[in-house]
Amino acid sequence: MTRAARATSKPKPGAEPPRAWQRMLSGRRLDLLDPSPLDIEIEDIAHGLARVARWNGQTRGDHAFSVAQHSVVVEDLFGRLLPGAATRWRLAALIHDAPEYVIGDMISPFKAQLGGGYKVIEKRLEGAVHRRFGLPEALPANIKKAIKQADRISAYHEAVQIAGFDPAEAATFFGAPADGFNVVIAPDPTTVAQERFLARFRKLFPGNGAA
């Protein structure tokens, strides 16, 4: 049985169930197997994502390129792809990788080896995050497609500019972006990435996370 499968299996009768929650700096205790929207705070998400490195940290520069900074880039690209999209869908683009604030960012080849258990946990966390901020658990197909496209455009530029890929190799994995979707990738310090993520969130969700 894989670790992912064990994580989703039920304990034997009479056995002490394994701890499945993580304590956040906000004081919330988030159950990873059955996450509640009430235990999700945007400050925890921003703090975590700003400290999770894309590409397992194998990037050029004095700072890691964080998932928080990547998320801001993806939201900007999403806005270029769908300039008339409602604010709530731009918010969905900004928080598209939110589950990684507790489960980390795994490169695609390794994620594929983990099997379905990882995806189940990721999906539950994503659903809880969406409910917390007033989004449907399942996004409309066109919105999901545009977010994925923006994600791949960002990945292409990250690969070429800071992760050591040549353009042809990056295009093989992520596709070559069309004209008009250029992005300058310059990794920010952790605190800067965190504040920029939060600032963008507050523009898109003026309640600042309050239910």
Side-chain angles (χ1 to χ4, degrees), residues 13 16 39 55-56 75 79 91 118 125-127 164 171 174 187 190 208:
E16 183 70 20
D39 291 325
W55 307 94
N56 279 343
E75 188 266 326
L91 174 62
Y118 175 89
L125 285 165
E126 180 181 73
F174 309 111
T190 298
N208 193 23

Side-chain angles (χ1 to χ4, degrees), residues 37-182:
L38 298 176
D39 291 325
I40 291 170
E41 301 291 350
I42 193 60
E43 289 79 8
D44 292 332
I45 293 174
H47 184 93
L49 294 186
R51 289 159 177 79
V52 175
R54 294 269 293 171
W55 307 94
N56 279 343
Q58 295 298 306
T59 52
R60 302 187 185 99
D62 294 334
H63 307 285
F65 188 72
S66 70
V67 176
Q69 189 173 358
H70 163 80
S71 298
V72 173
V73 172
V74 169
E75 188 266 326
D76 173 71
L77 289 166
F78 173 85
R80 297 191 219 174
L81 289 166
L82 293 180
T87 301
R88 68 197 308 239
W89 304 135
R90 296 195 67 144
L91 174 62
L94 181 70
I95 62 175
H96 76 285
D97 277 337
E100 295 178 6
Y101 87 110
V102 285
I103 60 176
D105 179 32
M106 298 184 185
I107 59 173
S108 296
F110 182 54
K111 191 182 294 187
Q113 297 302 314
L114 294 179
Y118 175 89
K119 297 298 292 183
V120 168
I121 294 172
E122 182 181 45
K123 200 68 179 174
R124 288 175 184 167
L125 285 165
E126 180 181 73
V129 170
H130 281 195
R131 294 196 304 276
R132 175 68 177 88
F133 301 117
L135 297 169
E137 288 195 44
L139 299 176
N142 67 315
I143 300 300
K144 187 174 181 179
K145 180 179 179 180
I147 292 173
K148 183 63 177 176
Q149 186 177 355
D151 189 49
R152 290 175 66 84
I153 294 171
S154 181
Y156 171 88
H157 289 298
E158 294 166 33
V160 172
Q161 295 181 42
I162 61 173
F165 288 63
D166 64 49
E169 183 183 18
T172 298
F173 291 113
F174 309 111
D179 292 340
F181 290 94
N182 294 327

